[in-house]
């Protein structure tokens, strides 16, 4: 799964979403979905009246740019070759329609070399002079921006909030160096427990440190287990975090009251998110580690 300006996608969800988009965007042009059964013919849909053909590709992992470029190039090469290898089957599907433009739709263009590759393959395909392809057959590369309006329309129809390109969410890693973090936690724990004895201070400091040190591994496990849940939680935490520093500056009273208020508000936000559907136990795990991180890295501080 990868993150795009319209949220997280993998190959399956990308194709399913684009099918909805293409049916609404090109329905008047006679759009026809071409299921990949019993064979994959190098197109996932086409328009009978205008000769447009579409093929979707979404990587299932966030590859490094050059790796992604190679995978995209290989996908284009394989799928265009299918236009020749499956000539008879395609003619049966297309009828009198000739493919004029072949669109490769992918979330992002990894490198401008992809456009060079598309031009090269376009020239090769034209040289085949296939009867079901237009003499001016053209290969076009489209990224998600060409379809973001329609994708958001379908999100609204499905009851999902629209995206304006801010869904590239991750939870910051914090375990690279903990020296300054230890000092922050010690200072803030003493302030939180100013009316308690040394044993209470030491006990809370130990719990907070353990939660902080477990932060990265906990969220990595969550990502491995359920990427969709991870990304939605990351979006919620990153948005909520914008308020934490302001509350630190504006809220009066004992430091521990501020911490408890933030914990309660974050728990309510997570539990109230209908796209998450997480229980109280997981919510407590998230809140404990997240608040420990905020205390350590100073999003959450105390001002007299």
């Amino acid at each position: 799964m990868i993150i795009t300006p319209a949220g997280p996608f993998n190959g399956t969800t990308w194709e399913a979403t684009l099918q909805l988009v293409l049916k609404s965007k090109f329905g008047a042009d006679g759009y026809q979905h071409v299921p990949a059964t019993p064979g994959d013919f190098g197109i996932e849909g086409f328009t009978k009246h205008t000769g447009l053909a579409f093929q979707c590709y979404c990587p299932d992992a966030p590859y490094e740019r050059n790796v992604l470029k190679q995978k995209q190039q290989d996908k284009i090469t394989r799928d265009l070759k299918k236009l020749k290898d499956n000539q008879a089957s395609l003619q049966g599907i297309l009828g009198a329609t000739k493919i004029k433009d072949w669109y490769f739709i992918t979330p992002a263009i990894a490198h401008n070399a992809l456009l060079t590759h598309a031009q090269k393959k376009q020239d090769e395909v034209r040289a085949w002079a296939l009867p079901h392809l237009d003499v001016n057959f053209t290969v076009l590369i489209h990224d998600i921006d060409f379809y973001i309006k329609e994708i958001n329309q379908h999100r609204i129809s499905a009851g999902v909030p629209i995206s304006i390109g801010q869904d590239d969410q991750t939870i910051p890693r914090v375990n690279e160096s903990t020296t300054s973090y230890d000092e922050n936690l010690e200072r803030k724990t003493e302030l939180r427990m100013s009316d308690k004895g040394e044993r209470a201070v030491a006990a809370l400091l130990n719990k907070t440190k353990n939660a902080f040190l477990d932060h990265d591994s906990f969220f990595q496990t969550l990502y491995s287990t359920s990427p969709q849940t991870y990304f939605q939680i990351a979006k919620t935490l990153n948005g909520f975090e914008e308020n934490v520093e302001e509350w630190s500056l504006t809220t009066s009273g004992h430091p521990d009251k501020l911490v408890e208020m933030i914990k309660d508000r974050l728990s309510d936000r997570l539990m109230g998110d209908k796209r998450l559907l997480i229980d109280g136990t997981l919510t407590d795990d998230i809140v404990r580690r997240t608040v420990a991180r905020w205390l350590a890295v100073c999003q959450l501080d105390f001002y007299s």
Side-chain angles (χ1 to χ4, degrees), residues 34-72:
V34 181
T37 53
D40 180 356
F41 301 142
I43 60 172
E44 289 168 353
F46 72 99
T47 57
K48 290 187 71 69
H49 305 325
T50 53
L52 310 181
F54 305 90
Q55 184 71 329
C56 304
Y57 170 72
C58 178
D60 286 327
Y63 298 114
E64 184 271 329
R65 187 180 68 164
N66 285 330
V67 175
L68 176 58
K69 177 197 71 173
Q70 190 60 53
K71 287 182 176 292
Q72 290 174 323

Side-chain angles (χ1 to χ4, degrees), residues 38-256:
D40 180 356
F41 301 142
I43 60 172
E44 289 168 353
F46 72 99
T47 57
K48 290 187 71 69
H49 305 325
T50 53
L52 310 181
F54 305 90
Q55 184 71 329
C56 304
Y57 170 72
C58 178
D60 286 327
Y63 298 114
E64 184 271 329
R65 187 180 68 164
N66 285 330
V67 175
L68 176 58
K69 177 197 71 173
Q70 190 60 53
K71 287 182 176 292
Q72 290 174 323
Q73 289 179 341
D74 292 346
K75 176 68 172 171
I76 290 172
T77 298
R78 288 195 306 271
D79 287 337
L80 288 176
K81 185 174 182 295
K82 292 173 185 176
L83 299 181
K84 179 169 64 173
D85 294 344
N86 298 284
Q87 176 180 331
S89 297
L90 278 169
Q91 284 185 283
I93 291 172
L94 294 167
T97 301
K98 291 191 175 186
I99 297 176
K100 295 173 60 179
D101 296 330
W102 185 89
Y103 291 85
F104 182 75
I105 308 176
T106 189
I109 298 174
H111 194 287
N112 58 24
L114 191 64
L115 302 176
T116 303
H117 182 76
Q119 182 63 46
K120 175 184 175 183
K121 301 310 295 185
Q122 171 187 294
D123 295 341
E124 290 181 13
V125 175
R126 285 185 182 181
W128 295 341
L130 298 173
H132 58 295
L133 304 183
D134 188 83
V135 65
N136 293 316
F137 175 87
T138 302
V139 175
L140 297 164
I141 311 295
H142 275 189
D143 62 18
I144 195 171
D145 290 342
F146 283 89
Y147 306 94
I148 193 69
K149 176 181 177 181
E150 291 80 10
I151 290 173
N152 276 329
Q153 287 173 343
H154 286 288
R155 290 169 71 101
I156 292 171
S157 299
V160 179
I162 69 166
S163 169
I164 56 173
Q166 297 179 337
D167 275 0
D168 189 4
Q169 305 287 352
T170 57
I171 296 170
R173 296 180 64 85
V174 292
N175 285 355
E176 286 80 1
S177 172
T178 60
T179 304
S180 61
Y181 301 148
D182 286 343
E183 295 172 357
N184 289 336
L185 290 176
E186 289 172 8
R187 174 177 62 83
K188 293 175 185 178
T189 302
E190 289 175 357
L191 290 171
R192 290 178 64 189
M193 305 294 283
S194 59
D195 56 348
K196 303 287 185 179
E198 290 184 4
R199 288 181 59 192
V201 172
L204 181 59
L205 178 59
N206 184 60
K207 284 182 173 293
T208 308
K209 277 188 177 181
N210 287 340
F212 170 68
L213 293 173
D214 188 51
H215 176 278
D216 289 358
S217 61
F218 172 82
F219 282 106
Q220 182 58 48
T221 299
L222 179 62
Y223 174 82
S224 301
T225 304
S226 178
Q228 180 74 50
T229 300
Y230 170 90
F231 290 128
Q232 185 59 40
I233 289 172
K235 183 177 181 181
T236 299
L237 294 182
N238 291 339
F240 188 91
E241 190 172 292
E242 295 294 319
N243 301 314
V244 172
E245 186 172 359
E246 181 177 345
W247 289 332
S248 296
L249 291 166
T250 60
T251 303
S252 302
H254 194 276
D256 198 48

